[in-house]
Amino acid sequence: MYNLDLVTGIIIAANVMASLRGFDNRIFFERYKFNVGQIRRGDQIRMFSSGFLHVDTTHLLFNMLTLYFFAHTVIAQLGTLSFVIIYIASLIFGNLLSLYFHKDEFWYSAVGASGAVTGVLYAAILLNPEMNLYMFFIPIPIPGYVFGIGYLLYSIYGMKNRIGNIGHDAHFGGAVGGYVVTLLLLPSLFKTDLSHVALLAVPIVILFVLYKTGKLH
């Protein structure tokens, strides 16, 4: 049984209200979406506001369900304030990485809470790496840390090959945000669970190596 904490409910409500407004009002949607050209011209609010807009109801529902399932794990272990810090930091980290990789593509645009939600997911996995996760078409449970590593490796693959209309870099950046901020908030994890901390860092190291060797693009 999952709990809907007050702060999670508020964040979900904010996403729903902003997204519904964006569905009905194209001017609102265009004004607050992530767009490289506008951000580089100084419209920095888009780095934050774009995280509350979504392309359609399916996109919105998927992100909010993921947030609902994993938010309580973070709140229960770190508290409400830390959860909010992780959510916002992951949103910004995701958009910063996306901006970095698309900095010369002035037309590039994106929306969605995926970076923030992925950060919460990765934080939850870091806090409870042995949690069992069930995936579509896979009848057996997957340990959280295995899923986390696999998800980020797929994100690297998606970034390298530009697979689908998906912001793989925002997902990856969000996960890094969740990982780093969680460790800053709870550094005791380095003593109590160093093996999982190290394993979950593997995709981050791989991305760095690929980038430094020029093999990412």
Side-chain angles (χ1 to χ4, degrees):
M1 186 70 180
Y2 294 94
N3 297 309
L4 180 61
D5 299 274
L6 177 61
V7 67
T8 308
I10 292 172
I11 291 173
I12 290 175
N15 273 275
V16 170
M17 288 189 291
S19 295
L20 290 177
R21 177 80 183 278
F23 296 160
D24 294 333
N25 188 330
R26 194 68 190 180
I27 294 175
F28 178 84
F29 184 87
E30 293 293 328
R31 173 65 185 86
Y32 292 107
K33 72 179 182 181
F34 178 96
N35 175 265
V36 172
Q38 294 299 330
I39 291 170
R40 292 194 61 178
R41 292 185 187 98
D43 198 1
Q44 304 296 335
I45 188 64
R46 293 170 184 262
M47 294 288 289
F48 179 77
S49 61
S50 60
F52 292 87
L53 297 171
H54 289 81
V55 173
D56 52 34
T57 52
T58 301
H59 187 206
L60 173 64
L61 182 63
F62 182 81
N63 276 336
M64 294 305 100
L65 279 175
T66 305
L67 178 63
Y68 168 70
F69 286 133
F70 294 99
H72 183 70
T73 297
V74 179
I75 294 170
Q77 295 195 50
L78 295 180
T80 299
L81 179 59
S82 293
F83 167 75
V84 173
I85 291 172
I86 289 170
Y87 186 90
I88 294 174
S90 298
L91 191 164
I92 300 300
F93 263 74
N95 279 341
L96 282 173
L97 191 65
S98 188
L99 181 64
Y100 182 78
F101 280 115
H102 298 280
K103 58 182 178 294
D104 296 323
E105 302 168 28
F106 284 73
W107 63 90
Y108 183 85
S109 296
V111 293
S114 299
V117 172
T118 305
V120 170
L121 167 63
Y122 219 67
I125 291 172
L126 186 58
L127 293 168
N128 187 10
E130 297 293 345
M131 69 166 70
N132 287 325
L133 300 179
Y134 290 86
M135 303 300 297
F136 295 115
F137 310 118
I138 301 178
I140 58 174
I142 302 172
Y145 73 94
V146 173
F147 171 82
I149 294 169
Y151 182 83
L152 288 198
L153 290 176
Y154 173 74
S155 294
I156 293 174
Y157 178 76
M159 291 164 64
K160 184 175 175 58
N161 296 282
R162 304 230 172 179
I163 295 175
N165 189 28
I166 300 172
H168 296 287
D169 35 33
H171 294 181
F172 196 99
V176 173
Y179 177 84
V180 171
V181 176
T182 299
L183 289 174
L184 289 174
L185 293 169
L186 194 64
S188 60
L189 286 171
F190 284 109
K191 292 183 178 179
T192 61
D193 202 2
L194 181 60
S195 60
H196 285 118
V197 170
L199 282 171
L200 288 165
V202 168
I204 300 172
V205 174
I206 290 174
L207 180 72
F208 178 77
V209 171
L210 288 174
Y211 174 75
K212 295 300 288 185
T213 56
K215 295 180 180 178
L216 191 58
H217 292 296

